Amino acid sequence: MPRAHGALVALAALSCATALQLAPRPECRGAAAAEPCSAAAAVELCRRRSCAVDSMLRLRGGGSWSSWFKGLLSKLGLFSKTGKLLVLGLDNAGKSTLLTLLVKNEVVPHAPTHQPVTDMITIGSMKMRAVDMGGHEIARRMWETYSQDADGIVYIVDCMDRERFPEAGLALHKLLQTLAATTPVLVLGNKDDMQGAAREEELYYGLGLDEVQRAGSGRQLQLQMCSVFEKRGFKEGFDWLSQHIK
């Protein structure tokens, strides 16, 4: 039996055992009473019971049994989310450098992006088609069009460039006005390793993210400080994003 399949069967059996403690045990159709369910039947049983068990079983912290199960499968590489991720921000914010790091695990400086560039990236449980749109004024005119079918947005800001915080905030707010309310947005405050860089609170208010929250749109939006050069911080942001991409 392949390792991944064997792990899936074991997880299905373990999770079903938990579910069956809370609900009557159904029979495997067409099988003798003493005959155990097949692997496929066990997985199907878990799928059917999860809806009923979900309402009865809530994990500490508010997570559901089904979300816990999916998270466990993700860690074993048996479950992943796919879709389109749009990487936006003003020019020189670090968009192309971040994508190169995610693809090749190398920090490579880039010239400004003049046309959309697509990369396939894998982060945790996500396998996404990431599109770097570029951040100059002409490229920003295409943001709205490209964002309509995006499953998530990553918006990168240069923490050292305080003079452009209003410009970066305005571009973000214009995007949010046309973006579907269900699309999660991750804002990355890049270059926080540099001396004199803005801290999280300063960037939060500098971009007007407090106004977004006061608007009460219900949009999932997260600010995460990071340093692409030091290869830290952004992974926590992508973990948050993976939880909110449908």
Side-chain angles (χ1 to χ4, degrees):
M1 178 182 295
R3 182 179 299 177
H5 181 67
L8 180 58
V9 173
L11 283 171
L14 175 62
S15 302
C16 283
T18 303
L20 292 176
Q21 292 177 2
L22 301 175
R25 179 178 181 180
E27 298 293 335
C28 289
R29 295 183 182 274
E35 182 181 348
C37 294
S38 65
V43 173
E44 176 64 15
L45 171 60
C46 278
R47 187 189 68 80
R48 293 183 179 182
R49 302 309 296 175
S50 65
C51 292
V53 172
D54 234 19
S55 61
M56 293 186 287
L57 179 58
R58 289 284 165 181
L59 301 179
R60 188 169 307 200
S64 66
W65 174 84
S66 61
S67 64
W68 171 84
F69 184 58
K70 287 180 180 179
L72 193 55
L73 292 179
S74 296
K75 291 180 180 179
L76 294 176
L78 302 175
F79 177 84
S80 63
K81 295 180 179 180
T82 60
K84 175 183 174 182
L85 195 64
L86 213 58
V87 182
L88 306 175
L90 303 186
D91 48 292
N92 200 41
K95 301 179 296 298
S96 300
T97 306
L98 172 62
L99 287 178
T100 300
L101 175 60
L102 295 176
V103 173
K104 300 180 179 180
N105 196 30
E106 298 177 357
V107 177
V108 181
H110 284 266
T113 301
H114 294 289
Q115 59 184 7
V117 178
T118 300
D119 290 293
M120 295 301 300
I121 62 173
T122 300
I123 304 176
S125 63
M126 296 194 304
K127 295 181 180 179
M128 309 292 289
R129 179 167 59 92
V131 183
D132 176 2
M133 291 296 302
H136 53 87
E137 289 190 25
I138 296 178
R140 286 179 232 167
R141 299 173 188 172
M142 300 185 292
W143 286 5
E144 178 181 345
T145 301
Y146 273 76
S147 65
Q148 297 307 306
D149 61 344
D151 298 287
I153 302 291
V154 176
Y155 193 83
I156 306 182
V157 182
D158 182 349
C159 291
M160 287 292 294
D161 201 352
R162 286 180 171 83
E163 292 184 358
R164 300 187 76 186
F165 284 179
E167 182 183 358
L170 179 60
L172 176 59
H173 284 253
K174 289 179 64 176
L175 174 68
L176 295 179
Q177 290 174 3
T178 59
L179 193 65
T182 55
T183 305
V185 177
L186 170 64
V187 180
L188 291 177
N190 188 28
K191 306 182 185 179
D192 78 336
D193 58 297
M194 300 184 68
Q195 185 176 2
R199 299 296 94 188
E200 182 173 351
E201 183 177 5
E202 180 184 355
L203 184 60
Y204 177 83
Y205 289 104
L207 297 176
L209 299 184
D210 56 318
E211 299 176 13
V212 177
Q213 288 196 332
R214 284 200 302 268
S217 63
R219 179 183 304 283
Q220 297 294 338
L221 187 147
Q222 177 80 356
L223 172 61
Q224 175 68 43
M225 307 302 286
C226 72
S227 169
V228 175
F229 179 78
E230 293 187 348
K231 301 182 181 181
R232 60 165 178 78
F234 56 85
K235 184 181 183 301
E236 291 81 356
F238 278 103
D239 286 343
W240 173 89
L241 192 62
S242 69
Q243 295 173 12
H244 292 87
I245 288 180
K246 303 300 182 182

